[in-house]
Amino acid sequence: MAVLNEEQEMLRDMARDWAANESPVAAFRKIRASGTPEAYDPDAYAAMAEMGWTGVIVPEEHGGSDFGWLSVGLVVEELGKTLTASPLLASTIAASAIILGGSDEQKAAWLPKIASGETVATLAVDEGPRHDPAKIAATVSGGKLSGTKSFVHEAHSASLFVVAAGDGLYLVEAGDGVSLSTRKLTDQRSHAEVTFDGAAADKLDNGGDTLLDDVLDRARILTACEMLGMAQQVFDTTLDYLKQRVQFNQVLATFQALQHRMADLFGDLAMMRSAVEGGLVALDSGFGVARAATLAKAEANRVLHAISREGVQLHGGIGMTDEYDIGFYLKRARVLEASWGSTAFLKDRFATIGGY
Amino acid sequence: MATLPDIDKPAAEEAFREDVKQFLAEHFPAELKGKGNALASVEGPTDETPAQKQWREAMGERGWGTPTWPKEYGGGGLTRKQAAILNEEMARAGAFNPIGGMGVMMFGPTLLEYGSEEQKREHIPPICRGEIRWCQGYSEPNAGSDLANLQTMAVDKGDHYLVNGQKTWTSGGQWADKCFCLVRTDRSDKHKGISFLLIDMDSPGIEVRPIQMISGMSPFCETFFTDVKVPKENLVGEEGEGWTIGKRLLQHERTNLSGGGALARMMGASLADLAKKHVETDEDGAIADKVLRDRIADFEIRWGSFLLTARRAAEESKAQGGVSEISSVLKKLGTKLGQERAELLIEIMGMQGLGWEGDGFSESELAAVRGWLFGKATTIYGGSTEIQNNIIAKRVLGMLDHQ
């Protein structure tokens, strides 16, 4: 755990208590059972907004608290532990695009609404099943955007899309010229193919040539935060289980073969946490963000992948049941691993940044 | 950070910085600039140049080789902050700490905690001055990972102990002046029968035989004790306290192995930079072999997150005022990654990375080979990776004892 200031500790403790009491995995089960395409509880999101979590990175003049990335990362990690379904991640990423690339008018128009939770916003970049920001066919002509974006997170509740076109990022409001086709993924959250057919688009003109990459790096780091919470939870749950389950008249935790696997995962988890926190610290300092973000998401992918597999295996048969929570983490893990860069993509990017 | 202007810092710290700068200007020999800590290494005999001697004595006199140790025993008596300033200024001047070795890394801190007043006064000042080399008498042929199985006996003969037995993997034993040793004073209790004894290496009855390792080097020795007389006052703590004291010393060892100098040296060159000298690159300067490039990136990512972890462990320890939980994984992670890097490096060089000696190989190529082989020791010594896993599982994760 990074060394936190008092405000950050309070924020983390608040998020931890809220997630445990108000948004346990049972809440996600209810949402899943309800079958709504938005796949989150609007009352819960309103409560999160009430606590200020939707505006942590938003400047105070636009209705946020400007507490910074480490702060929002702590909240997202805690929510990841209980698989809290909400558009907080998507909206925060979209807000960062407006903060980096928006004009004063665009900021004034959207940031207060995102910070208050009134508007859900989301980033739409990829046009195929794999993350590939170099391959964007969407075009804008005469202020109208056309193209198809695949697997857009939280698309069903979004009233604002931050859309990547060939020549930059655009704000597009849900409505005329925007249509959704649901893609139900293994994590049972909101994803959709979004088709823009001459939708009114407002360009984010600031932020320079690297705007898309800069926003994606924020998406990578924040996604890694959710993954960190998940990995920590799977590890803790598995450890608890090994300490309780008795076979051969012994609790499983006494078997050295299992002890050493847990020791390995503990080491991996320590590295993942360092990498993710390193990403947040880089964002707050503004230094070395591209490298730190790539490293953070690559480590998040590697470690959550390993822990989510071992979690199921070490639970034995019970880990295969829908009644048990551990499988939910496995299914969400793969969706997040594929979001904003698979391990192969990230290793390639890391090498490119490193000049080799 | 060194590049930030020094504002808002107490004037006392700045005065200290000035003092350090002046000291370095006066005493650090220019010819040693950028050279390493060769004197303090356990890997070679003592043959100081006059400049090296002068530098060691100057640092020793101030106690700055052991900056945070108490002044009354010859240490620097500096605060952590001052020690950090000293390090910063030495780095800036291309200087190094000439005082090190096992006395500084492991034995001194342990003796300061457990030694009698007389023992501290006798043994700590020569360590601070870099005059005495210590070696570690722990492992035995049948006491490796199961260290408490050690059998070297120390029999009470009134005013002295009579020591018989054999130690092994005694690092630098052939060059050491003294040995801190775990011996058995009682056969009836495995752990409580162990005592911590200090033995002069020139005592009659000690024979040291260097062991040639797979790397071709002989940094470790077998040490034989035949009717060696050791004065009673060389017992640290009480009889039977050796296991407690000995384990404490191992904590210092682990901290140093994982976070210390070896790590800092490895941080120097990136594997990718080294690779680009040995393999083809494409028109963009990228490594042409995409599989190799991927493996290097895979390693460098994990290496990067390990370095962040080492830094985090230090920051957390400082903030909590105790050893951070994640310190327990540093040795295991760092040594594994170090070996992985060495394997990748020689693979990148092809046959050129397998040279043993003689014509056709550069110094750095040969060093890579020897380093690859020597590095196999890192996951075995200082508590093997398997022992580290036991410790993590039992003490950190609270999984129950398997025994």
Side-chain angles (χ1 to χ4, degrees):
Chain A
M1 193 72 257
V3 178
L4 305 176
N5 65 31
E6 214 166 292
E7 265 168 5
Q8 288 164 336
E9 270 182 33
M10 277 174 58
L11 187 63
R12 182 202 52 201
D13 293 347
M14 192 165 82
R16 186 172 289 174
D17 290 346
W18 185 83
N21 297 321
E22 307 298 327
S23 180
V25 179
F28 172 68
R29 284 183 184 274
K30 257 190 222 162
I31 289 162
R32 182 181 67 155
S34 77
T36 59
E38 292 81 6
Y40 73 96
D41 174 356
D43 292 340
Y45 193 60
M48 290 164 67
E50 189 70 23
M51 291 182 284
W53 298 349
T54 42
V56 177
I57 64 154
V58 175
E60 287 178 61
E61 57 179 305
H62 296 302
S65 63
D66 206 7
F67 271 6
W69 287 95
L70 180 56
S71 298
V72 74
L74 295 168
V75 173
V76 168
E77 179 192 341
E78 293 304 326
L79 299 178
K81 287 181 182 172
T82 60
L83 296 170
T84 297
S86 91
L88 178 65
L89 205 83
S91 272
T92 302
I93 293 164
S96 78
I98 298 169
I99 292 168
L100 289 173
S103 64
D104 288 346
E105 294 74 36
Q106 288 166 325
K107 288 179 191 174
W110 292 109
L111 292 178
K113 288 185 186 170
I114 293 174
S116 71
E118 181 191 336
T119 291
V120 168
T122 191
L123 181 66
V125 176
D126 292 313
E127 300 178 357
R130 284 179 200 80
H131 177 59
D132 193 353
K135 217 156 117 198
I136 289 172
T139 53
V140 179
S141 133
K144 306 280 183 192
L145 190 145
S146 293
T148 300
K149 297 294 176 182
S150 60
F151 303 103
V152 176
H153 291 257
E154 313 297 343
H156 298 90
S157 56
S159 51
L160 180 69
F161 294 87
V162 177
V163 186
D167 65 336
L169 285 174
Y170 288 82
L171 298 178
V172 180
E173 290 185 60
D176 287 347
V178 181
S179 58
L180 267 56
S181 172
T182 298
R183 293 288 180 269
K184 197 147 200 170
L185 296 184
T186 179
D187 65 352
Q188 312 280 335
R189 296 277 298 270
S190 159
H191 304 275
E193 183 176 275
V194 183
T195 302
F196 300 92
D197 185 10
D202 186 17
K203 192 173 187 199
L204 294 174
D205 257 329
N206 297 323
D209 293 344
T210 60
L211 178 62
L212 175 59
D213 281 338
D214 292 342
V215 174
L216 286 171
D217 281 333
R218 282 150 182 81
R220 288 171 188 128
I221 291 169
L222 213 54
T223 303
C225 292
E226 179 176 343
M227 296 169 82
L228 176 61
M230 292 167 63
Q232 182 73 54
Q233 189 62 40
V234 172
F235 182 85
D236 291 346
T237 304
T238 304
L239 183 60
D240 283 347
Y241 181 73
L242 293 178
K243 289 178 180 177
Q244 285 161 15
R245 170 77 170 166
V246 175
Q247 289 285 275
F248 306 102
N249 298 316
Q250 271 177 274
V251 290
L252 294 183
T254 60
F255 289 103
Q256 197 180 30
L258 305 184
Q259 291 179 344
H260 285 200
R261 279 161 74 180
M262 291 305 282
D264 279 342
L265 293 180
F266 181 73
D268 282 335
L269 190 55
M271 287 170 69
M272 176 182 183
R273 179 172 294 283
S274 310
V276 173
E277 290 179 358
L280 294 168
V281 169
L283 279 181
D284 282 329
S285 73
F287 182 75
V289 170
R291 182 180 184 278
T294 310
L295 192 140
K297 180 69 171 30
E299 282 293 86
N301 278 10
R302 175 178 75 84
V303 177
L304 180 60
H305 188 93
I307 286 187
S308 61
R309 289 175 68 174
E310 284 285 70
V312 171
Q313 173 67 21
L314 293 172
H315 274 80
I318 197 173
M320 295 292 296
T321 63
D322 186 73
E323 193 187 339
Y324 222 71
D325 292 342
I326 204 90
F328 289 168
Y329 291 84
L330 178 74
K331 291 187 277 189
R332 175 72 171 163
R334 295 303 176 273
V335 173
L336 295 183
E337 284 168 46
S339 300
W340 318 122
S342 66
T343 301
F345 173 91
L346 294 163
K347 285 197 284 186
D348 175 66
R349 185 163 191 262
F350 192 82
T352 303
I353 291 168
Y356 61 97
Chain B
M1 263 184 284
T3 49
L4 294 174
D6 296 330
I7 48 168
D8 295 340
K9 286 186 182 167
E13 278 175 15
E14 285 320 296
F16 177 74
R17 190 183 293 278
E18 285 312 308
D19 183 30
V20 171
K21 281 184 184 163
Q22 198 178 341
F23 168 81
L24 289 169
E26 278 173 29
H27 295 283
F28 181 63
E31 64 181 276
L32 295 184
K33 195 169 174 174
K35 298 230 166 98
N37 181 11
L39 308 183
S41 161
V42 294
E43 289 161 22
T46 319
D47 42 7
E48 288 177 312
T49 64
Q52 285 173 327
K53 183 161 188 284
Q54 178 203 324
W55 177 227
R56 175 175 60 78
E57 287 177 350
M59 282 287 278
E61 195 176 325
R62 291 235 177 178
W64 281 0
T66 47
T68 58
W69 292 16
K71 221 175 167 78
E72 55 181 314
Y73 304 115
L78 302 185
T79 62
R80 278 180 181 279
K81 181 73 212 174
Q82 288 174 320
I85 292 172
L86 175 62
N87 272 334
E88 282 167 27
E89 290 306 319
M90 284 204 296
R92 209 181 303 225
F96 56 90
N97 183 350
I99 291 166
M102 291 190 179
V104 172
M105 288 194 315
M106 305 177 220
F107 173 61
T110 310
L111 193 73
L112 282 169
E113 196 174 338
Y114 287 99
S116 68
E117 188 57 30
E118 293 75 27
Q119 287 169 335
K120 287 191 254 186
R121 295 215 175 274
E122 180 183 351
H123 297 296
I124 300 293
I127 294 175
C128 296
R129 293 193 301 265
E131 291 170 357
I132 292 288
R133 285 190 188 207
W134 285 87
C135 65
Q136 181 180 36
Y138 270 39
S139 296
E140 297 182 7
N142 286 313
S145 285
D146 184 10
L147 181 60
N149 190 42
L150 58 94
Q151 300 299 329
T152 295
M153 276 302 290
V155 178
D156 189 338
K157 293 286 181 185
D159 66 334
H160 67 272
Y161 290 102
L162 200 62
V163 178
N164 280 284
Q166 181 193 348
K167 292 290 174 183
T168 192
W169 313 126
T170 324
S171 303
Q174 67 271 55
W175 305 300
D177 304 295
K178 290 173 192 285
C179 179
F180 52 89
C181 211
L182 291 181
V183 295
R184 183 157 296 286
T185 43
D186 180 359
R187 285 200 196 282
S188 68
D189 190 304
K190 185 173 179 181
H191 293 93
K192 289 183 187 144
I194 295 172
S195 299
F196 197 97
L197 205 56
L198 311 180
I199 303 178
D200 274 341
M201 289 299 281
D202 56 7
S203 309
I206 294 183
E207 189 193 343
V208 179
R209 294 183 201 155
I211 305 168
Q212 184 164 343
M213 306 299 288
I214 55 176
S215 60
M217 299 188 281
S218 303
F220 306 114
C221 300
E222 293 177 291
T223 308
F224 297 88
F225 298 87
T226 309
D227 290 337
V228 177
K229 283 186 184 175
V230 181
K232 270 289 184 56
E233 60 262 29
N234 284 10
L235 176 73
V236 178
E238 303 288 326
E239 263 190 28
E241 263 194 314
W243 187 245
T244 305
I245 300 171
K247 274 199 301 187
R248 181 79 185 126
L249 186 139
L250 288 178
Q251 288 184 341
H252 292 296
E253 179 176 18
R254 270 174 214 134
T255 309
N256 278 293
L257 290 177
S258 55
L263 199 63
R265 279 196 295 277
M266 285 178 62
M267 285 163 66
S270 97
L271 196 58
D273 289 344
L274 293 168
K276 284 173 80 170
K277 289 184 188 153
H278 290 93
V279 297
E280 285 176 38
T281 51
D282 64 20
E283 64 273 16
D284 299 326
I287 293 167
D289 179 341
K290 293 301 173 201
V291 177
L292 179 62
R293 176 175 178 265
D294 176 84
R295 289 173 61 206
I296 292 173
D298 187 272
F299 171 80
E300 294 278 330
I301 286 168
R302 285 176 296 126
W303 181 245
S305 83
F306 169 71
L307 294 179
L308 287 169
T309 305
R311 190 188 308 168
R312 184 159 71 88
E315 282 169 2
E316 287 181 13
S317 297
K318 207 168 140 192
Q320 295 163 7
V323 177
S324 144
E325 195 176 67
I326 51 167
S327 302
S328 64
V329 294
L330 289 182
K331 198 244 168 189
K332 155 194 162 83
L333 295 175
T335 52
K336 179 173 177 247
L337 288 167
Q339 289 182 352
E340 221 178 291
R341 182 182 189 279
E343 291 282 6
L344 251 176
L345 182 57
I346 61 164
E347 185 184 331
I348 286 165
M349 296 192 287
M351 287 294 186
Q352 206 65 28
L354 293 167
W356 184 250
E357 61 189 6
D359 293 342
F361 302 103
S362 70
E363 213 168 282
S364 68
E365 285 166 350
L366 292 174
V369 178
R370 302 297 173 113
W372 158 65
L373 287 166
F374 181 78
K376 298 299 174 206
T378 60
T379 49
I380 300 168
Y381 66 40
S384 68
T385 298
E386 290 69 25
I387 292 292
Q388 303 297 333
N389 281 342
N390 286 348
I391 292 171
I392 294 162
K394 279 195 270 180
R395 306 229 187 101
V396 181
L397 302 181
M399 300 173 89
L400 304 177
D401 202 329
H402 58 89
Q403 288 170 334

